[in-house]
């Protein structure tokens, strides 16, 4: 088994990601979703019309031309960077914990709100259903999400990786260079700005991708969804969703990151993966699997559990009063508010 735990452990900055609420404040009755009669609908990327796709991409480009507000991320130039930077500072604390799903759900919500409120986007955050592509049998280069005109551009040209860059000696890399086409090239004014190891520095560079088709097909397996849907409590569900830090054990979340980002691609860099705009479509699909699981049984809406500290599965557990801190991306929120996709705080649903 090839482990990538050390990638996370070696992340440079350890910022305080979370804090426990001093007093219990979970409502004694479940929150009534009275404020969410008309949820916005998150749809699969390829089911959007070409106009809807262009509107989404234009809104993402708009974030990249809107000045940063995240003062804690000195290297952030624009609003798109703010999200990448806050993720980078918290990466060591928000993966392989019980609130991995809540943290990323809240981040996606904040991003969707920024697109809508700051960039006049009127749609919802789309998701990417990996299985449609995996099942198609098409080479990754032909997956619609990577289309140069109606998608996010494709793979980088092949670049050799040094042993230091590829510490696990992964084989099957096909790219590594700059994304050559689509809306997110340097020629189209898109750069990944935050320094890879120091969020206080701006070092604009190209978005890279390093497709690893064998990693994608090994990790993105239908059996994972079957196993997830058989879980009856959140702790077990969340544990299976993150899986093991391994390149052999099926794991849909890791499969998206490392199948597309590989060794040298932005999306395979645990700290900086939100620098690739497809991060948000990928994580929307992860969030969707959780939302669909929650909807199967009302008791699952308020089910939580899992470790506060990474990999500390038998240690202190999260509860509904545990708070998520997104720095300048939004106010600190207790987990119970993040359990409801159709509640007072967030108001969205998935089309299927
Ligand atoms: C959003 O729409 C408003 C009202 O039409 C306009 O004033 C504003 O400039 C638009 N913002 C962006 C980022 O396009
Ligand atoms: C890139 O930005 C520059 C400076 O704002 C602008 O002049 C140019 O038209 C932009 N290019 C594209 C392809 O959007
Ligand atoms: C990122 O920052 C580090 C440390 O400050 C520096 O050594 C490195 O060259 C920077 N990376 C880039 C791509 O500029
Ligand atoms: Cu993450």
């Amino acid at each position: 088994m090839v482990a990538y735990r050390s990638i996370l452990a070696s992340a440079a900055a350890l910022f305080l990601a979370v804090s426990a609420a001093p007093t219990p404040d979970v409502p004694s009755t479940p929150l009534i979703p009275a404020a969410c009669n008309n949820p916005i609908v998150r749809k699969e990327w390829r089911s959007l019309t070409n106009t809807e796709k262009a509107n989404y991409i234009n809104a993402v480009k708009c974030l990249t031309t809107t000045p940063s507000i995240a003062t804690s991320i000195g290297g952030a130039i624009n609003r798109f960077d703010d999200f990448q930077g806050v993720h980078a500072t918290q990466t060591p604390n928000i993966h392989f914990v019980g609130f991995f799903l809540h943290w990323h759900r809240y981040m996606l919500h904040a991003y969707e709100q920024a697109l809508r409120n700051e960039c006049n986007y009127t749609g919802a955050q789309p998701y990417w259903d990996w299985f449609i592509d995996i099942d198609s049998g098409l080479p990754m280069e032909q997956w619609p999400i990577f289309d140069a005109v109606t998608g996010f551009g494709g793979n980088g040209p092949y670049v050799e990786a040094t042993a230091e860059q590829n510490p696990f000696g992964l084989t099957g890399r096909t790219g590594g260079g700059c994304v050559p086409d689509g809306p997110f090239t340097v020629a189209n004014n898109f750069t990944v700005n935050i320094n890879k190891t120091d969020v206080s520095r701006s070092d604009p560079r190209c978005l890279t991708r390093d497709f690893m088709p064998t990693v994608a097909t090994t990790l993105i397996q239908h059996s994972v969804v079957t196993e997830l849907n058989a879980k009856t409590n959140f702790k077990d569900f969340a544990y299976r969703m993150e899986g093991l830090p391994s390149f052999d054990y099926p794991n849909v979340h890791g499969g998206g990151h490392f199948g597309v980002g590989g060794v040298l691609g932005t999306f395979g860099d645990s700290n900086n993966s939100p620098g690739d705009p497809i991060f948000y479509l990928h994580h929307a699909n992860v969030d969707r699997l959780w939302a669909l699981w929650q909807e199967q049984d009302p008791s699952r809406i308020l089910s939580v559990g899992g470790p506060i500290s990474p990999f500390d599965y038998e240690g202190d557990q999260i509860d509904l009063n545990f708070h998520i801190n997104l720095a300048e991306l939004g106010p600190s929120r207790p987990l119970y508010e993040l359990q409801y996709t159709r509640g007072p705080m967030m108001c969205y649903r998935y089309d299927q």
Side-chain angles (χ1 to χ4, degrees), residues 28-106:
S28 54
T29 52
L31 299 172
I32 309 296
C36 183
N37 291 324
N38 195 14
I40 55 173
V41 181
R42 295 185 177 177
K43 298 175 187 161
E44 213 281 331
W45 177 253
R46 74 202 85 206
S47 75
L48 302 182
T49 65
N50 284 350
T51 303
E52 288 170 332
K53 288 174 182 158
N55 288 343
Y56 178 78
I57 285 173
N58 287 339
V60 174
K61 299 295 291 274
C62 161
L63 287 184
T64 71
T65 57
T66 305
S68 162
I69 59 170
T71 50
S72 66
I73 311 296
I77 296 171
N78 62 57
R79 289 288 286 137
F80 183 83
D81 300 338
D82 287 351
F83 290 83
Q84 183 196 345
V86 170
H87 186 274
T89 61
Q90 298 197 22
T91 291
N93 304 332
I94 60 175
H95 301 96
F96 299 99
V97 290
F99 57 93
F100 161 79
L101 286 167
H102 303 82
W103 198 97
H104 291 83
R105 172 174 279 181
Y106 187 16

Side-chain angles (χ1 to χ4, degrees), residues 128-143:
W128 169 34
D129 183 349
W130 330 286
F131 290 113
I132 300 174
D133 294 306
I134 296 278
D135 295 348
S136 75
L138 290 172
M140 289 180 71
E141 283 75 8
Q142 291 176 36
W143 292 1

Side-chain angles (χ1 to χ4, degrees), residues 117-334:
N117 298 338
E118 300 173 43
C119 288
N120 292 344
Y121 177 59
T122 56
Q125 171 62 44
Y127 65 90
W128 169 34
D129 183 349
W130 330 286
F131 290 113
I132 300 174
D133 294 306
I134 296 278
D135 295 348
S136 75
L138 290 172
M140 289 180 71
E141 283 75 8
Q142 291 176 36
W143 292 1
I145 195 154
F146 300 123
D147 193 274
V149 178
T150 58
F152 295 79
N155 197 15
Y158 184 74
V159 173
E160 290 287 346
T162 64
E164 191 186 1
Q165 289 169 321
N166 187 7
F168 307 115
L170 296 180
T171 56
R173 300 181 44 249
T174 66
C178 299
V179 168
D181 53 15
F184 299 106
T185 59
V186 175
N188 278 322
N189 283 346
F190 183 84
T191 48
V192 175
N193 294 326
I194 295 173
N195 179 287
K196 198 171 155 62
T197 56
D198 178 356
V199 298
S200 73
R201 284 180 54 140
S202 308
D203 286 311
R205 59 201 183 278
C206 70
L207 172 65
T208 56
R209 293 213 184 103
D210 189 4
F211 288 179
M212 295 186 73
T214 50
V215 169
T217 53
T218 303
L219 297 187
I220 303 175
Q221 297 272 345
H222 286 281
S223 61
V224 177
V225 178
T226 305
E227 288 176 48
L228 284 169
N229 284 329
K231 304 300 182 193
T232 54
N233 66 71
F234 177 82
K235 181 177 180 178
D236 293 346
F237 180 90
Y239 177 73
R240 185 64 192 89
M241 177 62 86
E242 286 208 84
L244 305 173
S246 159
F247 290 102
D248 310 320
Y249 181 65
N251 164 357
V252 292
H253 169 243
H257 278 287
F258 298 112
V260 174
V263 171
L264 296 182
T266 305
F267 197 44
D269 171 349
S270 355
N271 285 21
N272 296 303
S273 54
D276 189 327
I278 73 162
F279 174 93
Y280 298 93
L281 287 88
H282 174 62
H283 265 279
N285 203 34
V286 171
D287 184 65
R288 169 174 161 263
L289 295 178
W290 179 27
L292 297 179
W293 178 84
Q294 286 184 302
E295 284 174 15
Q296 286 171 28
D297 179 345
S299 72
R300 295 178 182 174
I301 303 268
L302 287 178
S303 177
V304 285
I308 290 175
S309 301
F311 301 102
D312 185 23
Y313 294 106
E314 303 308 317
D316 288 347
Q317 302 284 299
I318 57 166
D319 62 25
L320 290 170
N321 286 314
F322 188 86
H323 279 59
I324 301 285
N325 170 0
L326 278 192
E328 293 88 352
L329 301 181
S332 173
R333 296 278 191 190

